[in-house]
């Protein structure tokens, strides 16, 4: 009789090994390896000993006619934008996010819209009882929508329910960490359960043409638990993020086989559910402080859309041997680089100061075009000189201090003008792109020009007194 073969899987990175160890060899995490028994040679078990002879496949050419299947539009414009123009039938989408951010709310709203449009939408919840979901539906005022509800965690039951009837237009699984398959002995939420259940469900979606939406929880460090395994299997990965202090929620596409990946959708969590925010710039600049030093408005691009956001810097004398550098909303390496360039190329000293950087409104900036705005905020905070209130900043900084060109300059300027800004500090324009004629434009060849412009004649004084302070202390 064949012995049952046990395998050990790391719950952090998904690596499997033949024996238990305290530390995973692949990712170096401690105490993450869990024994997983497979009852039959399912997904967790290796290939069965006796290999069946494979079939000969018929090959197709690239120019085979593809029937153009219309995408499912949800009429929630922000959601449709992030999915790349609607849901593609037969695709699988993973929606990740921290607990309580609003994943279930968003998906119930999407399901309700589609159901009201006459599509069959099913919602399987492993976390909440149907009564709880109905309560949420009442709050969202969508109780009339004919969404099919079930509280179920066994993937076999879910699949049988799906197979028993015509395929639905949309299936929601909330969440993948609660679903389990009895072909595996591992607990729900472990890597092998998450992987096996996702595989079954994705296969069903491809076969039937239903859109599969899977909710995935993220761990403390922001990864979807049962990590990359699910991300590889699905067509689209959306992250729902936001900041608990704000009502704003940002849905961001991090992988999309059917659209652009840098799109964001902006929502506001209200008492009766998520509302779309059609003009995010207005929202991010909404509570702007007038003329305090250290604030610079960055004209950014998120996906296909310009977004204006305020970058705030605070520079304070430090009592620490290694001064603090704290960043919210952008990459800390980027801040370190800009501080280094400012001190090496423009003679500004941050060595005895703590530096705090914050992107207002809970947005996370990934564009290098924010460099000039960050630098302007830092110079302003260090010198105590406020920046002009009607000015936007953008441009990428190279290590030499030169200001590099960025894309979409026209779109950035247009958005800024629309919101009442009068001037822009930006890189030298490239040929072909005509920047906005109605904006007052200050072209920066080098970061030292920005420093000189902000500090002006006062700059020399501030630097001198700074020098004295440092010498005296
Ligand atoms: P939920 O969708 O349950 O989050 P997730 O599924 O990501 O864990 O959202 C829960 C939060 O949203 C909760 O803190 C209450 C809030 N909320 C509102 O503010 N308004 C609403 O209409 C709803 C349904 C929830
Ligand atoms: Mg939920």
């Amino acid at each position: 009789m064949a012995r049952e073969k046990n395998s050990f899987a790391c719950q952090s990175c998904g690596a499997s090994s033949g024996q238990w160890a305290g530390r995973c060899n692949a990712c170096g995490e401690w105490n993450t390896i869990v024994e997983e028994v497979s009852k039959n040679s399912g997904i967790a078990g290796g290939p069965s000993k006796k290999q069946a002879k494979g079939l000969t496949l018929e090959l197709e050419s690239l120019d085979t006619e593809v029937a153009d299947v219309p995408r499912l539009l949800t009429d929630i414009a922000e959601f449709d934008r992030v999915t790349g123009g609607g849901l593609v039938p037969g695709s699988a989408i993973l929606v990740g996010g921290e607990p309580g951010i609003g994943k279930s709310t968003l998906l119930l709203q999407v399901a309700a819209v589609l159901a009201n449009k006459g599509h069959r939408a099913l919602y399987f919840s492993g976390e909440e009882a149907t009564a709880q979901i109905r309560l949420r539906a009442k709050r969202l005022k969508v109780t009339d929508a004919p969404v099919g509800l079930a509280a179920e965690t066994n993937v076999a039951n879910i699949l049988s329910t799906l197979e028993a009837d015509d395929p639905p237009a949309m299936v929601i699984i909330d969440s993948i960490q609660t679903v389990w398959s009895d072909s595996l002995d591992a607990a729900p939420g472990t890597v092998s359960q998450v992987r096996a259940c996702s595989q079954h469900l994705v296969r069903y979606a491809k076969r039937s043409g239903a859109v599969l939406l899977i909710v995935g929880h993220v761990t403390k460090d922001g990864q979807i638990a049962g990590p990359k395994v699910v991300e590889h299997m699905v067509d689209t990965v959306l992250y729902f993020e936001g900041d608990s202090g704000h009502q704003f929620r940002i849905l961001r596409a991090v992988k999309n086989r059917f659209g652009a990946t840098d799109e964001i959708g902006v929502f506001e969590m209200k008492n009766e559910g998520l509302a779309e925010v059609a003009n995010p710039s207005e929202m991010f600049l909404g509570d702007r402080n007038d003329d305090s030093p250290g604030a610079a408005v960055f004209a950014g691009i998120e996906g296909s859309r310009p977004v204006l956001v305020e970058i705030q810097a605070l520079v304070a004398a430090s009592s620490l041997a290694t001064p603090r550098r704290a960043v919210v909303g952008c990459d800390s390496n980027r801040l370190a680089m800009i501080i280094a360039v400012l001190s090496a190329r423009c003679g500004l000293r941050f060595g005895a100061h703590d530096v705090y950087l914050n992107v207002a409104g809970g947005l996370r900036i990934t564009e290098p075009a924010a460099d000039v705005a960050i630098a302007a905020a830092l110079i302003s905070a260090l010198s105590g000189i406020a920046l002009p209130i009607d000015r936007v900043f953008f441009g990428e900084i190279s290590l030499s201090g030169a200001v590099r060109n960025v894309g979409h300059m026209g779109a950035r300027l247009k958005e800024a003008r629309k919101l009442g800004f009068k001037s822009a500090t930006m890189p030298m324009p490239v040929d072909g792109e005509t920047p906005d004629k109605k904006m007052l434009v200050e072209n920066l060849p080098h970061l030292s020009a920005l420093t000189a412009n902000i500090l002006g004649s006062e700059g020399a004084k501030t630097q001198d007194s700074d020098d004295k302070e440092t010498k005296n202390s």
Side-chain angles (χ1 to χ4, degrees), residues 324-344:
R324 270 190 79 118
R325 282 22 187 157
V327 189
V328 178
C330 79
D331 184 12
S332 57
N333 291 329
R334 207 83 211 168
L335 172 68
M337 188 201 92
I338 294 167
I339 291 179
V341 175
L342 280 173
S343 55

Side-chain angles (χ1 to χ4, degrees), residues 353-378:
H353 294 94
D354 290 335
V355 177
Y356 301 89
L357 194 77
N358 178 38
V359 178
L363 190 72
R364 190 164 49 77
I365 293 180
T366 49
E367 252 193 307
D371 291 356
V372 166
I374 296 174
L378 289 172

Side-chain angles (χ1 to χ4, degrees), residues 97-106 127-128 136 139-140 174 215 217 240 247 249 269-274:
E98 282 174 22
I101 203 79
K103 302 179 293 296
S104 308
T105 308
L106 176 72
E127 305 201 327
E128 293 158 303
R136 178 180 294 127
R139 193 168 171 190
L140 301 173
D174 189 1
V215 172
H217 287 294
F240 207 28
Q247 292 306 303
R249 301 283 182 270
M269 182 61 97
K270 295 199 168 159
N271 263 336
E272 58 288 342
L274 290 157

Side-chain angles (χ1 to χ4, degrees), residues 298-302 305-309 367 369 393-394 411-412 415:
F298 166 51
I301 297 280
E302 289 289 344
R305 166 166 67 168
V307 172
L308 265 55
V309 58
E367 252 193 307
F393 297 84
F394 59 87
R412 294 174 204 262
E415 174 80 359

Side-chain angles (χ1 to χ4, degrees), residues 1-162:
M1 204 182 86
R3 263 186 64 220
E4 235 176 39
K5 181 132 175 65
N6 294 3
S7 75
F8 297 82
C10 169
Q11 302 304 306
S12 169
C13 69
S16 65
S17 54
Q19 62 190 25
W20 189 87
R23 182 166 186 255
C24 173
N25 276 334
C27 67
E29 287 285 322
W30 288 92
N31 282 332
T32 53
I33 295 187
V34 168
E35 180 176 11
E36 292 174 349
V37 189
S38 70
K39 282 185 189 162
N40 50 31
S41 64
I43 290 137
S48 60
K49 291 243 175 62
K50 220 172 82 198
Q51 281 263 308
K53 196 165 180 293
L55 297 172
T56 315
L57 303 175
E58 205 166 301
L59 302 174
E60 293 176 21
S61 73
L62 278 174
D63 68 349
T64 316
E65 271 306 309
V66 190
D68 228 1
V69 193
R71 290 181 178 227
L72 285 178
L73 284 171
T74 61
D75 296 344
I76 303 175
E78 295 295 301
F79 185 80
D80 288 341
R81 176 203 305 280
V82 178
T83 51
L87 301 167
V88 177
S91 68
I93 300 172
L94 177 67
V95 181
E98 282 174 22
I101 203 79
K103 302 179 293 296
S104 308
T105 308
L106 176 72
L107 293 186
L108 188 59
Q109 278 179 275
V110 168
V113 175
L114 287 182
N116 278 332
K117 287 174 90 176
H119 299 289
R120 200 160 156 252
L122 304 184
Y123 191 117
F124 292 94
S125 177
E127 305 201 327
E128 293 158 303
T130 44
Q132 279 173 298
I133 302 168
R134 271 199 294 272
L135 218 60
R136 178 180 294 127
K138 206 164 154 189
R139 193 168 171 190
L140 301 173
K141 301 200 174 66
V142 295
T143 35
D144 312 334
V147 178
L149 276 189
E152 182 56 65
T153 54
N154 187 334
V155 77
N157 294 351
I158 294 176
L159 286 170
S160 309
T161 314
L162 291 171

